[in-house]
DNA sequence: TAGATTGTTAATCGATTAACAATC
DNA sequence: TAGATTGTTAATCGATTAACAATC
């Protein structure tokens, strides 16, 4: 594969392209243009071509992209064919909802086990995944090759738990704890799902909208007053 | 308040600043410099000052920022003092975990009611919020001023449900459906929590790491061979 | 072939960082 | 006052878009 420095923005668009491609495929389409993909994401056609150009040449001049082919390329680029092994740590509400509802397999990730400190949860199964005693984590990690840890413990336990799993070899964390579990330049990969940040961003834009509207109304009123 | 065009990147950093400020406050600190805030987020001190400059002047030369003061400024900027009203639509696993675990109040959002189509859920309460019949949504929205809808229905119901709530006046959606529920340039605000995209980005970076390591090893081997 | 659409480079646009005067 | 750190502008860096030759 060619090697260019790929920007984070590009990486974040890849899953969105893939989602659009899946949708198109489901509707029976077989080809797609960069213009159509761009429109779906709200960016320029050249953005799409530029993004894909990082990884190879997947299209055909005068035709566009074969949907099935492009899907498989993007899946591969995203590592979905690598069957990564994962564990889930923290089987509270969020953890359980991930276990029960999130289709890890579909994303090329195999969920091997779950862990919790709660006696009542240990021994239970969710969607075929057994909950083990969290105190067994170090031993477990020493024995198996686990690529990714889903971290869904309560905020208070986040740092300690992260410490334990990193010490025992985990290099990638899917972090649901609303806490920063590593320093900014750590070599451990952390993908944060910070729901707080997300809701606050929505709140910001809502407030911005309100203010913009209000100032428009004020302009109208002062005009009428004149 | 001053008015500049604020970039999305800046908006996304505000909650992170706030989180760091809360942490510092909890540890008893009263002042902070842009250097310290920047270090926490992995960006330059001037980035922090530049971001804040969009909204006013909150610091003191030679001193830094008063933590309590800056917290309250950022909270206000994020709209956390506006007591937005919200409903939650779709009380499956994700919906329930939000109802039970996510502290909406803490973010200045009041969760007024939840909705579902499932007979068994209707009438139940989660964390003090009652589940109402989804068929009552239009009537409910007609009677009350609801600012934000949390959309946590199954993927298959996402588009239809979005249609219903938008038609009935909802202008902001916190979207957990892993689906795009509006066109890219819609006037309806949508904040997406696309877990799929997030995991795939993690998977991408993990794969990139593996490949980088492998190619380093190959270079080593070929050097030894020479 | 003519029309369409890619791949790829150059131009533009915007975001981050550096620099430094202002000032606490 | 001297030292520190901000506010703010200018410089740099990177990402997006435009343009167009290549070619299916």
């Amino acid at each position: 594969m060619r090697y260019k420095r790929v920007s984070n923005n590009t990486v974040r668009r890849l899953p969105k392209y893939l989602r659009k491609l899946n949708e198109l495929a489901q509707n029976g389409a077989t080809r797609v243009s960069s213009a159509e993909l761009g429109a779906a994401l709200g960016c320029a056609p050249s953005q799409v071509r530029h993004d894909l150009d990082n990884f190879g040449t997947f299209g055909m001049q005068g035709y566009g992209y074969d949907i099935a082919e492009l899907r498989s390329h993007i899946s591969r680029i995203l590592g979905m064919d690598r069957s990564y092994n994962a564990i889930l740590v923290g089987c509270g509400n969020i953890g359980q909802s991930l276990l029960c509802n999130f289709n890890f397999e579909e994303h090329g990730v195999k969920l091997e086990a779950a862990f919790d400190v709660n006696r009542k949860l240990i021994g239970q199964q969710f969607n075929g995944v057994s909950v083990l005693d969290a105190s067994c984590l170090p031993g477990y990690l020493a024995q198996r090759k686990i690529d990714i840890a889903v971290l869904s413990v309560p905020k208070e336990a986040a740092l300690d738990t992260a410490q334990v799993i990193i010490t025992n070899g985990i290099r990638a964390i899917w972090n649901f704890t609303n806490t920063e579990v590593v320093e900014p330049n750590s070599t451990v990969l952390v993908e944060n799902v910070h729901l707080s940040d997300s809701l606050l961003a929505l709140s910001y834009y809502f407030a911005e909208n309100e203010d913009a509207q209000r100032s428009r109304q004020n302009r109208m009123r002062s005009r009428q007053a004149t």
Side-chain angles (χ1 to χ4, degrees), chain A residues 163-224:
Chain A
Q163 194 53 57
V164 169
I165 59 180
I166 291 171
T167 305
N168 288 280
I170 288 291
R171 288 353 272 160
I173 297 176
W174 198 21
N175 177 29
F176 287 82
T177 66
N178 257 308
T179 304
E180 306 302 327
V181 293
V182 299
E183 303 294 303
N185 286 319
S186 165
T187 57
V188 177
L189 262 172
V190 177
E191 170 73 19
N192 291 309
V193 180
H194 283 328
L195 296 187
S196 284
D197 295 11
S198 173
L199 182 58
L200 291 181
L202 182 62
S203 173
Y204 171 86
Y205 283 115
F206 199 94
E208 195 185 59
N209 262 209
E210 282 187 335
D211 294 348
Q213 231 160 318
R214 193 170 303 135
S215 73
R216 253 196 303 281
Q217 283 165 3
N218 286 343
R219 270 201 300 281
M220 291 300 282
R221 263 190 225 109
S222 63
R223 241 177 248 162
Q224 289 170 342

Side-chain angles (χ1 to χ4, degrees), chain A residues 82-168:
Chain A
R82 300 194 181 202
S83 294
Y84 289 127
N85 295 321
I87 57 166
L88 184 144
V89 186
C91 302
N93 239 309
I94 312 172
Q96 285 180 34
S97 101
L98 287 169
L99 287 167
C100 297
N101 292 314
F102 192 80
N103 195 335
F104 284 90
E105 290 282 343
E106 202 178 272
H107 299 78
V109 173
K110 276 192 294 188
L111 204 46
E112 300 276 355
F115 293 86
D116 206 291
V117 291
N118 186 340
R119 280 281 164 102
K120 287 179 193 150
L121 290 169
I122 296 167
Q124 282 195 45
Q125 283 213 346
F126 294 99
N127 208 2
V129 179
S130 303
V131 181
L132 310 179
D133 190 325
S135 64
C136 305
L137 256 173
Y140 185 93
L141 290 174
Q143 285 185 333
R144 330 216 170 182
K145 183 190 149 292
I146 298 294
D147 304 299
I148 299 170
V150 183
L151 190 62
S152 45
V153 299
K155 207 195 304 250
E156 303 74 39
L159 273 175
D160 289 346
T161 313
Q163 194 53 57
V164 169
I165 59 180
I166 291 171
T167 305
N168 288 280

Side-chain angles (χ1 to χ4, degrees), chain A residues 19-138:
Chain A
R19 220 144 22 84
K20 181 65 184 178
L21 289 170
N22 289 340
E23 186 196 315
L24 289 167
Q26 216 158 23
N27 296 340
T30 56
R31 57 182 275 198
V32 65
S33 66
S34 59
E36 193 174 356
L37 275 177
L41 271 80
C43 64
S46 52
Q47 176 81 86
V48 178
R49 300 200 296 275
H50 210 318
D51 282 342
L52 296 177
D53 185 53
N54 285 287
F55 305 101
T57 60
F58 307 133
M60 291 192 306
Q61 275 108 330
Y63 176 88
Y65 301 87
D66 179 87
I67 289 178
E69 213 180 290
L70 190 55
R71 277 174 86 186
S72 90
H73 280 302
I74 296 184
S75 301
R76 184 181 36 76
I77 292 164
L78 289 171
M80 294 170 74
D81 56 348
R82 300 194 181 202
S83 294
Y84 289 127
N85 295 321
I87 57 166
L88 184 144
V89 186
C91 302
N93 239 309
I94 312 172
Q96 285 180 34
S97 101
L98 287 169
L99 287 167
C100 297
N101 292 314
F102 192 80
N103 195 335
F104 284 90
E105 290 282 343
E106 202 178 272
H107 299 78
V109 173
K110 276 192 294 188
L111 204 46
E112 300 276 355
F115 293 86
D116 206 291
V117 291
N118 186 340
R119 280 281 164 102
K120 287 179 193 150
L121 290 169
I122 296 167
Q124 282 195 45
Q125 283 213 346
F126 294 99
N127 208 2
V129 179
S130 303
V131 181
L132 310 179
D133 190 325
S135 64
C136 305
L137 256 173

